[in-house]
Amino acid sequence: MEINRFIENFADQLNDTEISEITSTTVFKDLDEWSSLTALSIIAMVDEEYDVILKGDDIRKADTIADLFNIVSSK
């Protein structure tokens, strides 16, 4: 698993944010369109693409996309 692909998959879950605005250091919870529904989309994407089950606590512990990537990588 590589972070650039993870960022692309993450950005695909967002409707109003350009992929060019999304980097590994993006604090995803600060994005205007971040919501509980977006979090559920990210959980579903991680399950489908990486066969990893994320929990709400995993998302709460992460601040940046790199943090989330590291959590997924460790599972």
Side-chain angles (χ1 to χ4, degrees):
M1 179 167 72
E2 69 174 56
I3 192 154
N4 290 332
R5 182 68 183 136
F6 185 82
I7 292 169
E8 288 175 18
N9 289 333
F10 188 100
D12 286 346
Q13 307 310 306
L14 306 172
N15 297 320
D16 299 329
T17 307
E18 294 292 324
I19 191 167
S20 61
E21 296 177 38
I22 306 296
T23 67
S24 62
T25 60
T26 299
V27 178
F28 58 88
K29 295 171 196 166
D30 289 346
L31 296 172
D32 288 340
E33 68 181 298
W34 183 258
S35 68
S36 58
L37 289 176
T38 309
L40 290 174
S41 294
I42 297 299
I43 289 170
M45 177 274 293
V46 168
D47 183 26
E48 184 177 310
E49 294 291 326
Y50 304 102
D51 200 26
V52 170
I53 303 298
L54 278 182
K55 298 189 187 283
D57 282 345
D58 295 324
I59 291 178
R60 279 190 286 280
K61 290 176 189 173
D63 291 318
T64 65
I65 293 177
D67 294 339
L68 198 56
F69 172 81
N70 290 332
I71 290 169
V72 172
S73 295
S74 71
K75 291 189 174 217

